[in-house]
Structure formats: C-alpha cells, structure tokens
Amino acid sequence: MNRIEAAAVEIRRLEKNDRVAWEDLWQENLDHFAAPDRARADMPVIWQRLMDEAAPLLGWLVLLQGQAAGLAHVVLRQHSFSTAHIAILEDLWIAPFARRRGLAERLVERLVREGRAQGWRRIEWETGDENLIAQRLYDRIATLDPVKRYRIDLD
C-alpha cells in the first residue's frame, strides 16, 4: 500500500466552490455502482441539500495534493434511545487514482473526530457482501453489527 504524507491530504466539509469537483467524483461513484438515471437527474437537488445548513445531509471532500480524490456523505437522524444524532455514512468514495493510500481510513477518522465534536451517538454504515476490500478496512476500524437489514423499495 502506497501511504502518503499527512500534509498531502486535506479532508474538509464541502464548500460552494467545490461543486465541479463533487460532481466529477459523484458521477464516478454513480457510474461504478450502475446507478439509475434518476440518481444523475437528482444531482442538482443533492448538491443543494449538501449546501443547506438546515438539511440533515452533510458532505466532505478529500483532497490529495490539492486534487479532489474522494468524498463522503453523512445523513444525521434522530434516535429514540438518545437525544444525540446517529450519523449514517451513506457514501464513501475514493477515486480510482487515489486508492490504496489510506484515504478511506483517514476520511472515517475525520468523521469520527467530527462526530465527537458534534456529540453524535455513533456512526453507522453498510456495504455490499461482495465489497471485500472495503470490508477489510471496516473490520479493522469498526464493529460489525449482528443484524440483518430489510427493505421495501418504493420506487
């Protein structure tokens, strides 16, 4: 694994002038996961939500030597056992050119610091059974929940 110097990496909340970089990264993510056309059509609305300070959708950008290299989206939700929010890590994407350099782990570490500072109760996420590379990282830095998730698709 080709680790990089901490000084070469910046991880910060998305800002209004990050739109083009975000769109490029988000399009890569949508293409990788063969997202439906609706996801692409919804990009302007998702961006507006990310920029709306009152919305529960938060976004981070990873910069590698000044170049956009990754992103994360977090949805804050209320919890019935606590007044503290639960952070749902909806998306974590590292661009192919920047993979295997420890950026995903640094991004999660940044979210943990943010969560502690903001008083979140925990951060949760899910990944596909086939995503073994990500699971190796997640198994090392987090606890696997012993639950099954069910869903009913409404669209």
Side-chain angles (χ1 to χ4, degrees), residues 125-143:
W125 66 91
E126 57 189 44
T127 192
D129 283 341
E130 75 289 347
N131 196 348
L132 300 178
I133 292 171
Q135 288 176 38
R136 282 197 298 269
L137 168 63
Y138 302 156
D139 287 343
R140 190 167 44 77
I141 66 172
T143 303

Side-chain angles (χ1 to χ4, degrees), residues 48-59:
Q48 290 204 346
R49 288 179 182 169
L50 287 162
M51 293 297 104
D52 182 351
E53 292 183 22
L57 182 60
L58 310 174

Side-chain angles (χ1 to χ4, degrees), residues 9-143:
V9 179
E10 179 185 1
I11 300 172
R12 61 170 171 76
R13 288 285 304 274
L14 281 169
E15 300 170 355
K16 288 182 183 178
N17 62 348
D18 294 327
R19 184 168 184 166
V20 171
W22 174 84
E23 285 180 350
D24 290 345
L25 290 166
W26 191 234
Q27 187 67 48
E28 279 183 355
N29 183 57
L30 295 177
D31 291 346
H32 177 80
F33 288 105
D37 290 340
R38 180 176 178 175
R40 288 165 184 77
D42 287 345
M43 283 177 66
V45 174
I46 301 305
W47 177 255
Q48 290 204 346
R49 288 179 182 169
L50 287 162
M51 293 297 104
D52 182 351
E53 292 183 22
L57 182 60
L58 310 174
W60 279 264
L61 182 66
V62 179
L63 298 166
L64 176 58
Q65 297 175 330
Q67 183 178 358
L71 60 76
H73 298 152
V74 171
V75 176
L76 297 180
R77 71 168 174 86
Q78 296 177 342
H79 191 268
S80 59
F81 286 8
S82 170
T83 58
H85 283 102
I86 304 296
I88 309 299
L89 178 56
E90 286 282 321
D91 307 293
L92 189 158
W93 176 256
I94 302 298
F97 81 88
R99 292 187 180 156
R100 303 182 86 61
R101 298 181 184 194
L103 295 177
E105 184 171 358
R106 288 183 190 191
L107 182 50
V108 171
E109 289 168 355
R110 173 66 178 86
L111 296 174
V112 167
R113 287 193 308 276
E114 179 78 11
R116 287 187 174 131
Q118 298 299 322
W120 303 343
R121 185 161 191 238
R122 68 176 173 259
I123 301 171
E124 300 176 348
W125 66 91
E126 57 189 44
T127 192
D129 283 341
E130 75 289 347
N131 196 348
L132 300 178
I133 292 171
Q135 288 176 38
R136 282 197 298 269
L137 168 63
Y138 302 156
D139 287 343
R140 190 167 44 77
I141 66 172
T143 303

